[in-house]
Amino acid sequence: MENQAAERKKIVFSGIQPSGQITLGNYLGAVRNWKQLQEEYNCIYSIVNMHAITVRQDPAELKKRTLEAYALILACGIDPEKSIAFIQSHVKEHAEINWVLACYTQFGELSRMTQFKDKSQKNPDNINAGLFTYPVLMAGDILLYQTDLVPVGIDQKQHLELARDIAIRFNGQRGNTFVVPDGYIPKAGAKIMSLADPTKKMSKSDPNPRGCVYILDPPETIIKKFKSAVTDSDMEVCYREGKDGINNLMTIYSCVTGKTYEEIEEEFKGKGYGDFKLAVGTAVAEHLAPIREKYNALMADKAYLEKCYTEGAEKASRIARRTLEKVYKKVGFLPK
Ligand code: ATP
Ligand code: LTN
């Protein structure tokens, strides 16, 4: 029995919204780890287009971005032979489990979600019910696959804790049904800040593109954005409280080069911020160049992408269906 448990490969699930162009923050906080995890675990990754419509999206644009985001995660190293990569709306079980889980989630719990408060403030004319129940849909994504580990940036920690609470509650009331998932939040890169305002998270729906580095930005644009990154009036490249801009650049540099903060401080001792910003920009541009190339090749082969996401949805649905059937039985829905 013990052996059997040890032998079961852990399941990883994560998702990304096609709500804008994928940023360096999404990459360092999440997608980069997705690639590494697939060597060791059974990984399932989704382009969560159902989550994206909690904020108004132009339909043609959403459709285009969904395919682009799918191609981009493959370009970042997600291998559709090793992992399951699919588009959320293609697997109807996500919408179905959402209803049941919504009935196991409290209004008060959802009212405490900081992302809901932030997004309601940003979109005061469209505080829709979907935006409010967004974390339930996310809990469903995770719980449908009996997920053990969820690689996300730190901003998703609260949603993840809610998913755990919902699983524990459902298991407690209806008997063991779901694996209770754990988060997998990277030590470095879990919250990359905007280059234009280093007190704010780099976010793909930020209307100001200056603060955001997009994975598909050409090298010159990346270097230009880093050159104009907001820092401080100090001169020293060192990681210290209050130096938000420099700390952010050091984190990014460390993530793409593997150097420690001490090594970075040593490398830029006696040099100005100008040299440092150029070095970070160049390192990021070099790191992202192969991803951009691979992306362009994938986008030129739409038939291959279609084959991958169709097969991905079939594989995902097979797993999701088993959990959904179990859930329907546990809540007492009469079988067809
Ligand atoms: P939006 O601005 O539309 O809310 P987003 O940029 O926050 O989008 P999501 O699709 O919601 O991106 O998130 C995808 C993944 O990227 C999540 O795991 C999230 O935690 C992570 N992530 C998002 N922004 C950052 C960031 N600035 N630093 C590190 N990780 C991030
Ligand atoms: N809410 C997440 C996206 C997301 C997700 C998930 C992440 C939707 N479903 C399931 C991990 C697991 C976000 O990044 N904003």
Side-chain angles (χ1 to χ4, degrees):
M1 192 61 204
E2 215 172 84
N3 259 348
Q4 220 180 340
E7 272 167 28
R8 175 183 171 265
K9 240 190 182 182
K10 286 203 166 159
I11 296 171
V12 168
F13 183 94
S14 197
I16 187 163
Q17 302 183 72
S19 50
Q21 285 201 59
I22 295 182
T23 71
L24 184 64
N26 299 135
Y27 177 71
L28 296 180
V31 182
R32 190 175 61 138
N33 296 319
W34 297 7
K35 175 185 181 216
Q36 282 156 6
L37 288 165
Q38 70 184 347
E39 306 306 327
E40 228 181 299
Y41 303 107
N42 283 332
C43 297
I44 307 170
Y45 299 123
S46 182
I47 304 302
V48 290
N49 52 349
M50 290 160 71
H51 278 92
I53 63 162
T54 54
V55 169
R56 279 290 161 264
Q57 306 285 343
D58 174 70
E61 189 72 10
L62 179 66
K63 192 169 155 193
K64 181 168 152 272
R65 283 204 169 128
T66 303
L67 184 68
E68 288 170 354
Y70 188 83
L72 193 53
I73 65 164
L74 298 197
C76 287
I78 305 309
D79 177 350
E81 299 292 321
K82 280 190 197 153
S83 300
I84 299 177
F86 72 101
I87 292 158
Q88 189 184 29
S89 63
H90 292 172
V91 178
K92 64 181 175 32
E93 287 79 5
H94 288 258
E96 292 172 326
I97 198 165
N98 181 54
W99 177 252
V100 178
L101 296 183
C103 299
Y104 283 78
T105 308
Q106 298 302 304
F107 178 84
E109 290 178 305
L110 292 174
S111 310
R112 286 194 287 277
M113 295 293 121
T114 55
Q115 183 177 294
F116 170 68
K117 292 182 209 164
D118 288 351
K119 294 212 169 173
S120 318
Q121 243 172 23
K122 281 190 196 146
N123 308 283
D125 52 351
N126 183 24
I127 307 178
N128 62 73
L131 190 65
F132 187 65
T133 59
Y134 176 115
V136 180
L137 185 62
M138 176 164 162
D141 297 342
I142 298 168
L143 302 182
L144 268 179
Y145 300 95
Q146 305 294 349
T147 303
D148 298 283
L149 277 183
V150 186
V152 282
I154 200 119
D155 61 325
Q156 294 304 309
K157 192 161 177 258
Q158 198 185 25
H159 288 164
L160 204 72
E161 274 160 14
L162 180 64
R164 285 173 59 88
D165 291 344
I166 297 173
I168 292 168
R169 179 173 307 137
F170 192 95
N171 287 347
Q173 293 180 16
R174 302 274 84 89
N176 216 4
T177 311
F178 299 120
V179 167
V180 179
D182 282 315
Y184 181 96
I185 296 174
K187 280 199 191 77
K191 192 175 186 187
I192 299 297
M193 312 307 279
S194 157
L195 298 187
D197 178 356
T199 60
K200 275 194 354 214
K201 182 187 99 146
M202 186 182 283
S203 164
K204 69 170 117 63
S205 53
D206 187 342
N208 175 8
R210 276 189 42 236
C212 273
V213 172
Y214 303 110
I215 306 205
L216 296 174
D217 273 344
E220 319 78 75
T221 310
I222 296 179
I223 292 173
K224 207 163 111 202
K225 284 181 178 173
F226 276 100
K227 275 189 179 163
S228 59
V230 170
T231 49
D232 53 54
S233 54
D234 200 36
M235 295 277 285
E236 216 182 330
V237 175
C238 63
Y239 199 98
R240 208 183 297 137
E241 214 185 314
K243 286 170 74 76
D244 297 333
I246 290 294
N247 294 349
N248 190 38
L249 295 180
M250 284 182 72
T251 302
I252 295 172
Y253 193 58
S254 167
C255 285
V256 295
T257 61
K259 292 178 187 169
T260 63
Y261 291 152
E262 292 75 35
E263 286 167 342
I264 301 170
E265 286 173 10
E266 194 54 39
E267 185 179 348
F268 292 96
K269 206 174 235 167
K271 294 188 186 157
Y273 283 176
D275 288 345
F276 178 52
K277 288 184 190 178
L278 180 64
V280 184
T282 310
V284 170
E286 277 170 11
H287 186 93
L288 297 180
I291 297 178
R292 193 159 163 254
E293 257 170 51
K294 179 119 190 270
Y295 170 83
N296 288 334
L298 284 162
M299 284 303 282
D301 191 353
K302 298 272 167 23
Y304 173 72
L305 290 174
E306 193 180 320
K307 172 179 166 282
C308 290
Y309 67 65
T310 306
E311 287 176 6
E314 281 162 10
K315 290 186 215 160
S317 192
R318 231 170 283 142
I319 305 171
R321 206 175 307 138
R322 281 205 298 270
T323 303
L324 189 72
E325 277 169 10
K326 200 163 145 190
V327 168
Y328 274 17
K329 207 162 148 188
K330 297 259 184 174
V331 296
F333 286 170
L334 183 71
K336 267 206 285 196

